[in-house]
């Protein structure tokens, strides 16, 4: 049924479902198309000479005042990264970046406009930094230039108040660098002692080595290990024992015992084990933290809102920041613009698409004097509105704050690990104490050093590594299969799910595909082309869908076109009167049960022909996935849409009590809360802003997206829409990840008990520690990596079978 | 034997220089993006094409002299 996606003719990448066509050749993106056009038109040899020819088909910019707000000084100042004399620098987030042609094109912006001195792409983050001379090109012109080559930057309200997010990542690298440096050097300086054999190293030299080791170990303790020690301390103060406590005990035991031995000149100490331990820990942390930088999992309403809007002051249009809007301001909202605040309609025909907020696909009509709510998109001619509430008082913003405020903290994770850590710590400390007391009677002077030896060997190095490596690797495995999780906590939460709640529109239905069928007297080809020409005039979503459905037919000139908001459109083509719209408008009789169906009724010359029914197309494999999930989980559906599809959905969900329609965003949130109050672990799968509250509230909230880099509300994970079928496998895989962690715990405990036998007998020499610790760590890391990969492979095989 | 003390001290300092180099590299953002540079390296340099304007030719000639 589904045919293979085409390959891009320029770079060979998969073009996806909707390739960009030029001269009947498919391209994956506009970057490739542009580069190809250049090559093609200039017979290859002037590939490098972009500035000399009209070459790059910069689509004639027709942005009007769309980006006018970028001329505003205060906005500009907030967006610019820095401004130094003539030069300014700005970084844009451009979701469209996706292949090497994109990089090439965006890094050659300077050939398109000499005002741009330098542009650099960060592919991983999908960002481009542009350095430019403001006297030659304005910020607005740069954005318009980018938009004209189809790389429209995403500039939202969110850009206005965040600046430093990347610093944290670097700190970890610094710590890792310091620990690695110390570990390497300490190991080199410890080797003479291990390898010298019977005669030993010359005492003066050994002392020198020991002191150097102490010197190298200090920054590791103070800087690299700081987070573990602080976290353990803070938790202990609050009476909580977490994994960091046994780790910190190990760190302190290792360091103090070694320092004592070095200073008292009684031994060489375990500084190599100490530095190695922290180095491995940090590697694990780094591995686990490496997530998807280009994806945003924490977007709130600010990411959806534009920065500025047109305000009407004394009959003149001026651009103002949305934040500055106050009650009573008059604003202008154009076609396809978002209404940023709750307001009252003053002028114009409002045809507002609230699908973004409510999930309801049919646009809503409002009359002058009626209130309109933030989050809607106007379709059609421009509107004038009077502001009722400022941005942070709007209904949409409130919904957000409500879900934020009442949220159950998702830190349930590491439950398992923390529980184990608690017992582990108690057992280790009591064991160490018992050993010390016993040794006190056997050989009193050695008792203390054996006490620390037990603490050292019990240090849960392998234990601490198994979690980051299992989860880190699982995240990568998920990512390769089109499922992107916010962090590793989600894996554990996902494995505990027992209830699944689906949103309807855009989640189990495809967001941009409709099943369109005609019922009634089959129209002729000519009549269809009339319908197409009429539909083309209107911006109503149903008209747009119908127009696309009929797009390969001829177009005609439409005379005396009329659009009656909320009813339909009419016009004359070749002296024939063509009317399309609602049943009432056309004069068709409908059964009450069909009232909610999305239908477009048609009449030509006042003669009723029939209607087009527009039904949502359900995702491929929905039947299988629901029947799979129903065996093990409670499956609910909650939709902001009307009841029109209840009958069809019953086929999958069977039980009426699990189907809910006409749910507002707040209802969805409450529904999840109610389920949780029953003690259920809820997985919510949604797609839009209307699900944001529910996604946030649920134990795991997953967004399904056609383009993972585009809008997605705050969530725990983003799923590529094509991977919907794999949902069940994803959940199953989270369970096998947890199993891997448990097995690796057993392995590391085994190593700990081997080490303990050495320690209790008083045989733990530095060399034994130096061998035992890396060996146990390596086995655990290798084991978890292999085990997760193998279980992913098995899971893939099962699908094929 | 005493030379060892000197050598090891010196080598530790050399190692320290590498640590500083690493920290500088991280600070200057070399670890921020691990993908783009690999692609960038494959782009051809902006060569001066044959039919370019005389000024550019002149300047390149001057450099050769």
């Amino acid at each position: 049924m589904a045919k293979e996606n085409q390959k891009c003719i320029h770079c060979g990448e998969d073009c996806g479902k909707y390739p960009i066509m030029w001269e009947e050749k498919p391209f994956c993106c506009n970057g490739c198309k542009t580069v190809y056009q250049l090559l093609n038109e200039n017979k290859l040899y002037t590939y490098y000479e972009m500035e000399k020819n009209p070459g790059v088909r910069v689509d004639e910019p027709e942005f009007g005042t769309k980006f006018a707000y970028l001329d505003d000084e205060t906005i500009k100042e907030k967006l610019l990264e820095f401004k130094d004399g003539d030069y300014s620098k700005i970084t844009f987030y451009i979701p469209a970046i996706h292949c090497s042609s994109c990089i090439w094109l965006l890094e050659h912006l300077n050939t398109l406009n000499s005002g741009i001195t330098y542009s650099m792409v960060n592919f991983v983050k999908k960002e481009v930094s542009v350095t430019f001379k403001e006297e030659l090109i304005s910020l607005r012109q740069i954005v318009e230039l980018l938009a004209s080559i189809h790389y429209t930057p995403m500039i939202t309200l969110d850009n206005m108040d965040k600046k430093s997010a990347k610093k944290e990542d670097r700190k970890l690298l610094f710590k890792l660098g310091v620990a690695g440096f110390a570990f390497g050097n300490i190991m080199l300086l410890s080797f003479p002692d291990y390898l010298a054999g019977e005669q030993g190293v010359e005492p003066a030299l050994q002392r020198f080595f020991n002191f150097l080791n102490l010197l190298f170990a200090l920054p590791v303790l103070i800087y690299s290990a700081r987070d573990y020690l602080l976290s353990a301390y803070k938790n202990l103060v609050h009476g909580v024992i977490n994994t960091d406590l046994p780790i910190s005990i190990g760190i302190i035991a290792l360091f103090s015992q070694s320092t004592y031995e070095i200073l008292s000149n009684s031994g060489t100490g375990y500084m190599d084990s100490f530095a190695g331990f922290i180095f491995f820990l940090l590697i694990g942390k780094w591995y686990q933290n490496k997530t998807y930088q280009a994806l945003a999992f924490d977007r709130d309403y600010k990411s959806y809102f534009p920065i500025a809007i047109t305000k009407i002051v004394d009959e003149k249009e001026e651009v103002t920041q949305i934040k500055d809007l106050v009650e009573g301001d008059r604003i202008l909202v154009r076609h396809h613009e978002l209404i940023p605040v709750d307001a009252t309609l003053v002028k114009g025909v409002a045809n507002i698409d609230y699908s973004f907020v409510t999930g309801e696909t049919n646009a809503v009509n409002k009359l002058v004097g009626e209130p309109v709510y933030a989050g809607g998109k106007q379709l059609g001619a421009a509107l004038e509105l009077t502001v009722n509430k400022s941005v942070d008082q709007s209904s949409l913003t409130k919904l957000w704050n409500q879900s934020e405020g009442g949220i159950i903290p998702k830190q349930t994770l590491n439950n398992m690990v923390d529980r184990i850590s608690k017992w582990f710590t108690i057992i280790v400390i009591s064991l160490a104490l018992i050993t010390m007391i016993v040794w006190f009677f056997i050989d009193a002077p050695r008792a203390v050093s054996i006490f620390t030896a037990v603490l050292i060997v019990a240090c849960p190095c392998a234990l601490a590594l198994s979690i980051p490596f299992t989860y880190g690797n699982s995240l990568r495995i998920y990512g390769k299969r089109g499922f992107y999780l916010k962090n590793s906590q989600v894996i554990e939460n996902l494995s505990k799910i027992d209830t699944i709640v689906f949103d309807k529109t855009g989640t189990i239905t495809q967001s941009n595909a409709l099943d369109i069928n005609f019922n009634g007297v089959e129209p002729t080809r000519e009549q269809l082309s009339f319908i197409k020409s009429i539909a083309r005039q209107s911006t109503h979503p149903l008209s747009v869908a119908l127009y696309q459905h009929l797009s390969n037919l001829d177009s005609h000139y439409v005379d005396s076109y009329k659009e009656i908001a909320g009813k339909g459109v009419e016009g004359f083509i070749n002296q024939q009167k063509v009317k399309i719209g609602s049943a009432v408008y056309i004069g068709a009789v409908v059964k009450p049960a069909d009232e909610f169906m999305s239908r477009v009724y048609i009449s030509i010359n006042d003669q009723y022909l029939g209607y087009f029914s527009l039904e949502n197309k359900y995702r491929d494999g929905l039947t299988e996935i629901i029947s799979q999930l129903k065996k093990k989980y409670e499956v609910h559906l909650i939709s902001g849409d009307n009841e029109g599809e209840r009958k069809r959905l019953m086929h999958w969900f069977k039980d009426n009590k699990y189907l809910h329609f006409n749910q507002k965003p707040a209802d969805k949130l409450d529904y999840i809360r109610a389920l949780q109050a029953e003690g259920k672990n809820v997985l919510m799968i949604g797609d839009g802003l209307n699900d944001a509250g529910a996604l946030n509230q649920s134990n795991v909230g997953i967004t399904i997206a056609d383009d993972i880099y585009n809008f997605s509300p705050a969530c725990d994970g983003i799923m590529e829409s094509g991977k919907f079928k794999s949902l069940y496998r994803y959940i199953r895989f989270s369970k096998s990840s947890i199993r891997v962690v448990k097995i690796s715990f057993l392995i590391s405990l085994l190593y700990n008990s081997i080490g303990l036998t050495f320690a209790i007998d008083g045989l733990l020499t530095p060399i034994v520690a130096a061998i035992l610790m890396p060996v146990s760590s390596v086995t655990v890391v290798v084991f978890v990596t292999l085990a997760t990969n193998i279980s992913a492979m098995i899971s893939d095989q099962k699908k094929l079978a | 034997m005493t030379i060892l003390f000197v050598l090891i001290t010196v080598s530790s300092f050399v190692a320290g220089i590498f640590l500083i180099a690493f920290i500088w590299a991280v600070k200057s953002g070399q670890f921020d993006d691990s993908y783009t540079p690999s692609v960038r390296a494959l782009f051809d340099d902006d060569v001066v094409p044959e039919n370019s304007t005389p000024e550019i030719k002149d300047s390149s000639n001057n450099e050769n002299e």
Side-chain angles (χ1 to χ4, degrees):
Chain A
M1 189 184 81
K3 64 174 189 209
E4 276 290 294
N5 285 340
Q6 286 172 300
K7 295 268 180 275
C8 175
I9 205 137
H10 179 71
C11 72
E13 279 210 34
D14 196 323
C15 291
K17 275 190 204 140
Y18 305 101
I20 290 154
M21 303 299 288
W22 185 68
E23 294 193 338
E24 297 185 359
K25 294 181 187 76
F27 294 93
C28 63
C29 66
N30 279 299
C32 282
K33 192 187 84 179
T34 311
V35 175
Y36 185 86
Q37 284 171 338
L38 278 176
L39 290 169
N40 203 42
E41 284 170 12
N42 303 302
K43 303 191 181 57
L44 298 168
Y45 55 78
T46 47
Y47 185 90
Y48 314 103
E49 221 198 334
M50 220 149 77
E51 77 271 37
K52 298 260 162 43
N53 51 63
V56 176
R57 300 192 155 202
V58 178
D59 288 359
E60 209 40 58
E62 280 181 21
F63 302 111
T65 52
K66 191 177 169 194
F67 296 113
Y69 64 88
L70 291 169
D71 285 336
D72 186 280
E73 282 301 324
T74 44
I75 293 177
K76 216 157 59 182
E77 193 189 322
K78 286 217 170 120
L79 290 174
L80 286 179
E81 232 155 85
F82 68 76
K83 198 181 160 161
D84 183 23
D86 298 342
Y87 293 94
S88 305
K89 190 183 172 194
I90 184 162
T91 301
F92 297 114
Y93 174 61
I94 303 179
I97 298 176
H98 93 289
C99 69
S100 52
S101 303
C102 303
I103 303 176
W104 186 81
L105 197 62
L106 289 171
E107 297 206 336
H108 284 77
L109 285 178
N110 55 342
T111 56
L112 290 175
N113 189 306
S114 54
I116 296 171
T117 45
Y118 189 60
S119 55
M120 200 165 106
V121 174
N122 183 329
F123 186 81
V124 183
K125 288 187 179 161
K126 298 196 184 281
E127 283 176 351
V128 59
S129 313
V130 181
T131 312
F132 62 102
K133 277 187 183 163
E134 249 190 310
E135 57 193 58
L136 294 175
I137 186 167
S138 73
L139 183 60
R140 176 178 171 184
Q141 283 168 322
I142 292 177
V143 173
E144 286 179 349
L145 175 69
L146 285 169
S148 66
I149 55 171
H150 307 282
Y151 290 100
T152 314
M154 232 165 85
I155 304 171
T156 62
L157 204 53
D158 213 19
N159 293 49
M160 299 291 278
D161 48 32
K162 63 163 182 222
K163 280 267 145 104
S164 63
K166 57 187 172 188
K167 298 280 177 253
E168 200 48 43
D169 198 23
R170 287 187 182 175
K171 255 187 193 158
L172 184 59
L173 276 179
F174 291 146
K175 284 178 183 159
L176 194 58
V178 170
F181 160 79
F183 174 51
N185 282 293
I186 295 173
M187 212 163 61
L188 273 180
L189 296 171
S190 303
F191 259 63
D193 179 45
Y194 298 156
L195 302 176
E198 286 300 304
Q199 77 267 36
V201 186
E202 191 182 313
L205 209 54
Q206 185 63 56
R207 258 185 86 84
F208 178 60
F209 290 161
N210 289 346
F211 273 99
L212 273 180
N213 280 347
L214 181 59
L215 206 66
F216 283 126
L218 271 173
V220 179
L221 179 79
I222 295 165
Y223 184 60
S224 301
R226 191 171 55 184
D227 288 347
Y228 294 99
L229 298 173
L230 282 179
S231 152
Y233 173 73
K234 276 183 196 152
N235 279 300
L236 204 60
V237 168
H238 291 107
V240 183
I241 292 176
N242 67 349
T243 14
D244 291 336
L245 186 66
I247 291 174
S248 298
I249 291 176
I251 290 172
I252 293 168
L254 270 168
F255 186 80
S256 46
Q257 174 70 17
S258 311
T259 312
Y260 167 74
E261 283 183 16
I262 290 168
L263 293 179
S264 67
N265 204 15
S266 58
T268 52
Y270 306 85
M271 285 307 187
D272 54 339
S273 299
F274 164 76
F277 176 44
I278 290 162
F279 181 56
F280 291 143
L281 278 180
L282 290 172
I283 288 182
K285 201 174 186 179
W286 173 77
Y287 187 75
Q288 192 182 18
N289 280 1
K290 260 192 112 152
T291 47
Y292 311 96
Q293 294 176 317
L295 296 180
F297 294 99
D298 50 0
R299 292 200 179 121
D300 63 7
Y301 67 96
K302 284 183 183 162
S303 312
Y304 296 83
F305 278 23
I307 289 178
I309 192 139
T310 316
K311 187 165 123 181
I312 302 173
V313 185
D314 304 331
E315 303 299 308
K316 266 188 280 175
E317 291 178 17
E318 65 178 49
V319 174
T320 185
Q321 285 193 55
I322 281 180
K323 275 196 276 195
D324 295 342
L325 287 179
V326 288
E327 211 183 309
D329 279 351
R330 218 173 152 93
I331 53 170
L332 189 73
V333 176
R334 295 195 176 82
H335 178 46
H336 267 287
E337 276 186 349
L338 194 91
I339 299 167
V341 287
D342 294 350
T344 309
L345 185 60
V346 185
K347 201 166 125 193
V349 181
N351 189 33
I352 302 166
D353 172 14
Y354 275 117
S355 58
F356 208 42
V357 186
T358 60
E360 167 73 49
T361 36
N362 295 338
V364 181
N365 291 286
K366 295 278 181 186
L367 300 173
V368 170
E370 282 190 296
V372 290
Y373 297 102
K377 243 183 201 165
Q378 160 68 355
L379 305 171
L383 299 179
E384 275 184 44
L385 306 167
T386 314
V387 177
N388 291 345
K389 284 169 184 164
S390 64
V391 178
D392 33 313
Q393 295 295 316
S394 303
S395 51
L396 188 68
T397 323
K398 272 196 186 142
L399 168 77
W400 219 284
N401 297 338
Q402 182 190 1
S403 66
E404 300 262 279
I407 193 168
I408 298 170
K410 285 194 182 177
Q411 299 292 337
T412 48
L413 154 103
N414 280 347
N415 251 340
M416 176 176 78
V417 191
D418 285 342
R419 236 183 5 251
I420 292 175
S421 302
K422 192 170 153 189
W423 284 110
F424 188 85
T425 315
I426 294 169
I427 291 170
V428 165
I429 291 183
S430 38
L431 201 65
L433 283 173
I434 293 167
T435 322
M436 185 171 79
I437 293 164
V438 173
W439 270 94
F440 190 73
F441 293 108
I442 303 170
D443 184 2
R446 287 188 64 193
V448 176
S449 72
I450 282 167
F451 172 73
T452 47
V454 173
L455 291 182
I456 287 167
V457 85
C459 186
C461 187
L463 203 69
L465 284 179
S466 64
I467 288 260
F469 276 92
T470 314
Y471 288 173
N473 202 36
S474 299
L475 282 183
R476 277 170 185 73
I477 289 168
Y478 273 133
K480 274 189 201 139
R481 286 160 177 74
F483 186 42
Y484 307 91
L485 296 182
K486 181 161 85 176
N487 56 38
S488 50
Q489 298 195 354
V490 183
I491 297 174
E492 198 172 322
N493 293 345
L494 195 59
S495 70
K496 289 182 187 151
I497 288 306
D498 51 27
T499 307
I500 300 173
V501 180
F502 287 100
D503 166 54
K504 187 176 78 83
T505 320
T507 303
I508 61 170
T509 67
Q510 289 176 28
S511 42
N512 42 17
L514 288 166
D515 263 335
I516 300 179
N517 292 302
F518 188 78
N519 295 288
V521 190
E522 196 63 39
T524 62
R525 203 177 156 79
E526 193 190 19
Q527 285 173 324
L528 281 176
S529 69
F530 289 172
I531 295 165
K532 174 210 167 185
S533 308
I534 285 278
R536 188 184 170 183
Q537 309 292 325
S538 163
T539 49
H540 193 281
L542 291 180
S543 304
V544 174
L546 198 59
Y547 170 69
Q548 278 168 354
H549 178 64
L550 300 169
S551 60
N552 51 354
L553 293 168
D554 300 334
S555 292
H556 299 276
Y557 176 71
V558 180
D559 212 8
S560 56
Y561 170 81
K562 251 198 320 203
E563 178 159 358
I564 296 153
K567 298 221 164 100
V569 293
E570 61 172 85
F572 286 87
I573 300 169
N574 297 348
Q575 274 89 48
Q576 301 200 50
K577 188 180 178 192
V578 184
K579 268 173 96 169
I580 67 173
S582 67
V584 186
Y585 182 61
I586 304 297
V589 186
V590 262
K591 284 180 270 170
D594 293 343
E595 226 173 292
F596 291 124
M597 307 294 269
S598 294
R599 286 178 180 175
V600 179
Y601 294 83
I602 310 291
S603 79
I604 292 182
N605 291 330
D606 289 324
Q607 197 179 355
Y608 173 60
L609 286 183
Y611 62 84
F612 283 95
S613 67
L614 295 92
E615 286 183 326
N616 285 312
K617 228 184 207 160
Y618 288 99
R619 290 198 190 278
D620 292 345
L622 180 69
T623 316
E624 296 96 48
I625 195 75
I626 298 283
S627 62
Q628 265 178 344
L629 290 173
K630 267 203 327 213
K631 282 181 205 149
K632 293 199 171 169
Y633 307 97
E634 223 178 278
V635 183
H636 300 244
L637 179 110
I638 181 160
S639 169
D641 224 337
N642 59 50
E643 303 241 354
E645 305 251 328
R646 184 184 277 272
K647 242 190 252 164
R648 274 176 86 191
L649 287 162
M650 278 294 284
H651 168 65
W652 289 295
F653 290 87
K654 297 283 191 288
D655 201 337
N656 249 333
K657 99 180 158 176
Y658 293 146
L659 286 178
H660 301 272
F661 294 95
N662 296 316
Q663 301 286 308
K664 291 199 181 67
D667 299 336
K668 292 187 178 184
L669 170 64
D670 292 337
Y671 191 71
I672 303 281
R673 270 200 194 137
L675 285 173
Q676 285 174 332
E678 290 171 34
K680 294 195 166 112
N681 282 313
V682 185
L683 166 65
M684 169 81 200
I685 301 175
D687 77 310
L689 203 54
N690 56 319
D691 305 315
L695 287 170
N696 217 341
Q697 176 67 33
S698 58
N699 300 66
V700 180
I702 290 170
T703 305
I704 191 158
D706 286 321
D707 179 356
I708 53 167
Y709 298 106
N710 255 332
F711 289 128
S712 57
C715 58
D716 297 310
I718 300 175
M719 190 194 287
E720 282 175 13
S721 58
K723 305 288 178 184
F724 181 66
K725 293 182 274 231
S726 314
L727 181 63
Y728 180 63
R729 276 199 296 146
Y730 292 152
I731 301 175
R732 204 173 48 196
F733 181 63
S734 73
K735 292 193 175 176
S736 53
S737 293
I738 301 293
R739 212 171 306 136
V740 170
V741 169
K742 285 181 180 159
I743 297 171
S744 69
F745 275 9
L746 286 180
I747 296 177
S748 63
L749 286 176
L750 193 74
Y751 274 111
N752 279 138
S753 37
I754 294 172
L756 276 175
T757 52
F758 278 100
I760 294 171
D761 294 343
L763 296 172
L764 187 78
T765 53
I767 191 165
V768 173
I771 292 169
L772 201 62
M773 198 205 55
V775 168
S776 66
S777 305
V778 168
T779 6
V780 164
V781 169
V782 169
F783 168 75
V784 298
T785 314
L786 284 180
T788 41
N789 282 336
I790 288 168
S791 64
M793 262 161 58
I794 293 170
S795 174
D796 284 349
Q797 299 262 301
K798 271 194 195 160
K799 186 196 78 180
L800 297 174
Chain B
M1 245 349 200
T2 39
I3 191 67
L4 268 180
F5 291 96
V6 181
L7 283 177
I8 286 168
T9 316
V10 170
S11 71
S12 296
F13 272 106
V14 174
I17 291 169
F18 281 101
L19 176 66
I20 290 163
F22 171 75
I23 289 172
W24 168 80
V26 173
K27 261 196 180 148
S28 67
Q30 293 184 26
F31 289 78
D32 288 354
D33 183 1
S34 49
Y35 179 79
T36 327
S38 69
V39 178
R40 198 175 291 136
L42 298 175
F43 293 150
D44 292 287
D45 294 331
D46 294 351
V47 292
V48 181
E50 282 164 36
N51 59 345
S52 65
T53 51
E55 297 95 4
I56 296 176
K57 267 186 184 166
D58 283 347
S59 67
S60 61
N61 285 345
N62 289 341
E63 273 166 35
N64 291 339
E65 279 163 15

